[in-house]
Amino acid sequence: MADTLKRIKRLLREQAGRAHEEELRRALVPVAAAFKRWEHGELGSGELSDIIHRFHQGPARELFARYNNPYMNLAVAYAITVGVLDRQTIPAELLDHLARALAFYESQQATS
Protein backbone atom coordinates (compact mmCIF):
# COMPACT_ATOMS: atom_id res chain seq x y z
CA MET A 1 0.00 0.00 0.00
CA ALA A 2 2.77 2.46 0.88
CA ASP A 3 4.49 1.82 -2.47
CA THR A 4 1.23 2.50 -4.29
CA LEU A 5 0.78 5.76 -2.41
CA LYS A 6 4.36 6.81 -3.20
CA ARG A 7 3.82 5.99 -6.88
CA ILE A 8 0.59 8.01 -6.99
CA LYS A 9 2.32 10.96 -5.32
CA ARG A 10 5.15 10.77 -7.85
CA LEU A 11 2.71 10.60 -10.75
CA LEU A 12 0.80 13.56 -9.35
CA ARG A 13 4.00 15.62 -9.06
CA GLU A 14 4.99 14.71 -12.62
CA GLN A 15 1.59 15.58 -14.06
CA ALA A 16 1.34 18.79 -12.03
CA GLY A 17 4.75 19.78 -13.40
CA ARG A 18 3.64 19.05 -16.96
CA ALA A 19 0.42 21.01 -16.50
CA HIS A 20 2.23 23.95 -14.91
CA GLU A 21 4.72 24.05 -17.77
CA GLU A 22 1.97 23.94 -20.41
CA GLU A 23 -0.14 26.62 -18.76
CA LEU A 24 2.93 28.84 -18.35
CA ARG A 25 3.79 28.32 -22.00
CA ARG A 26 0.29 29.38 -23.03
CA ALA A 27 0.33 32.40 -20.73
CA LEU A 28 3.74 33.50 -22.04
CA VAL A 29 2.70 33.62 -25.71
CA PRO A 30 1.49 37.25 -25.48
CA VAL A 31 4.62 38.21 -23.54
CA ALA A 32 6.80 36.66 -26.25
CA ALA A 33 4.84 38.62 -28.86
CA ALA A 34 5.44 41.80 -26.87
CA PHE A 35 9.18 41.10 -26.83
CA LYS A 36 9.11 40.73 -30.62
CA ARG A 37 7.26 44.03 -30.96
CA TRP A 38 9.84 45.64 -28.64
CA GLU A 39 12.72 44.20 -30.69
CA HIS A 40 11.22 45.77 -33.83
CA GLY A 41 10.82 49.15 -32.14
CA GLU A 42 7.03 48.88 -32.11
CA LEU A 43 6.79 48.86 -28.32
CA GLY A 44 8.61 51.00 -25.79
CA SER A 45 10.72 49.58 -22.99
CA GLY A 46 8.34 50.98 -20.37
CA GLU A 47 5.38 49.29 -22.01
CA LEU A 48 7.27 46.00 -22.21
CA SER A 49 8.25 46.31 -18.57
CA ASP A 50 4.59 46.87 -17.67
CA ILE A 51 3.56 43.74 -19.62
CA ILE A 52 6.24 41.70 -17.82
CA HIS A 53 5.16 43.08 -14.44
CA ARG A 54 1.47 42.30 -15.08
CA PHE A 55 2.40 38.76 -16.18
CA HIS A 56 4.45 38.22 -13.03
CA GLN A 57 1.81 39.65 -10.70
CA GLY A 58 -1.08 37.86 -12.43
CA PRO A 59 -0.79 34.64 -14.43
CA ALA A 60 2.64 33.59 -13.15
CA ARG A 61 1.59 33.88 -9.50
CA GLU A 62 -1.80 32.24 -10.08
CA LEU A 63 -0.25 29.28 -11.87
CA PHE A 64 2.48 28.89 -9.25
CA ALA A 65 -0.16 28.80 -6.51
CA ARG A 66 -2.34 26.36 -8.47
CA TYR A 67 0.40 23.79 -9.02
CA ASN A 68 2.58 24.24 -5.93
CA ASN A 69 0.28 23.38 -3.08
CA PRO A 70 -0.80 20.29 -1.13
CA TYR A 71 -3.89 19.83 -3.34
CA MET A 72 -2.22 18.43 -6.46
CA ASN A 73 -5.16 16.05 -6.97
CA LEU A 74 -7.41 18.99 -7.71
CA ALA A 75 -4.90 20.81 -9.88
CA VAL A 76 -4.18 17.76 -12.02
CA ALA A 77 -7.88 16.84 -12.30
CA TYR A 78 -8.66 20.40 -13.36
CA ALA A 79 -5.85 20.34 -15.96
CA ILE A 80 -7.20 17.11 -17.40
CA THR A 81 -10.78 18.36 -17.48
CA VAL A 82 -9.97 21.62 -19.29
CA GLY A 83 -7.60 19.96 -21.75
CA VAL A 84 -4.26 21.24 -20.47
CA LEU A 85 -3.27 17.60 -20.04
CA ASP A 86 -4.39 14.99 -22.54
CA ARG A 87 -6.35 12.33 -20.67
CA GLN A 88 -4.87 9.68 -23.00
CA THR A 89 -1.38 10.40 -21.61
CA ILE A 90 -2.37 9.93 -17.97
CA PRO A 91 -1.64 6.53 -16.39
CA ALA A 92 -4.82 4.57 -15.64
CA GLU A 93 -3.97 4.20 -11.96
CA LEU A 94 -3.73 7.98 -11.62
CA LEU A 95 -7.05 8.46 -13.43
CA ASP A 96 -8.59 5.97 -10.98
CA HIS A 97 -7.11 7.92 -8.08
CA LEU A 98 -8.51 11.17 -9.48
CA ALA A 99 -11.98 9.80 -10.33
CA ARG A 100 -13.91 11.88 -7.76
CA ALA A 101 -12.10 15.13 -8.56
CA LEU A 102 -12.52 14.52 -12.30
CA ALA A 103 -16.24 13.86 -11.83
CA PHE A 104 -16.56 17.11 -9.88
CA TYR A 105 -14.83 19.24 -12.53
CA GLU A 106 -16.68 17.51 -15.35
CA SER A 107 -20.02 18.22 -13.65
CA GLN A 108 -18.98 21.87 -13.18
CA GLN A 109 -18.10 22.09 -16.86
CA ALA A 110 -21.45 20.56 -17.86
CA THR A 111 -23.39 23.18 -15.89
CA SER A 112 -21.37 26.12 -17.24
Side-chain angles (χ1 to χ4, degrees):
M1 179 71 173
D3 287 340
T4 301
L5 185 58
K6 284 182 182 181
R7 178 164 165 71
I8 293 295
K9 285 182 179 181
R10 181 181 56 76
L11 290 170
L12 278 170
R13 282 191 305 274
E14 288 172 2
Q15 298 305 319
R18 285 184 54 224
H20 186 208
E21 178 66 25
E22 176 58 20
E23 286 209 62
L24 269 177
R25 187 194 65 73
R26 292 176 184 186
L28 280 166
V29 169
V31 178
F35 266 98
K36 288 179 183 171
R37 291 177 46 221
W38 173 75
E39 286 175 344
H40 290 73
E42 301 167 4
L43 187 68
S45 296
E47 291 170 292
L48 178 61
S49 179
D50 186 50
I51 290 167
I52 295 166
H53 178 73
R54 280 183 289 163
F55 171 78
H56 181 265
Q57 295 301 318
R61 284 180 186 258
E62 291 168 16
L63 291 171
F64 181 83
R66 180 179 301 155
Y67 291 106
N68 293 284
N69 67 62
Y71 309 106
M72 279 189 278
N73 286 6
L74 297 177
V76 172
Y78 174 81
I80 293 167
T81 303
V82 298
V84 172
L85 294 174
D86 181 358
R87 186 182 295 256
Q88 304 304 316
T89 67
I90 308 299
E93 65 187 309
L94 186 55
L95 289 173
D96 290 345
H97 177 78
L98 295 172
R100 289 177 59 192
L102 287 166
F104 169 77
Y105 285 121
E106 288 164 354
S107 71
Q108 294 297 107
Q109 225 178 16
T111 60
S112 297

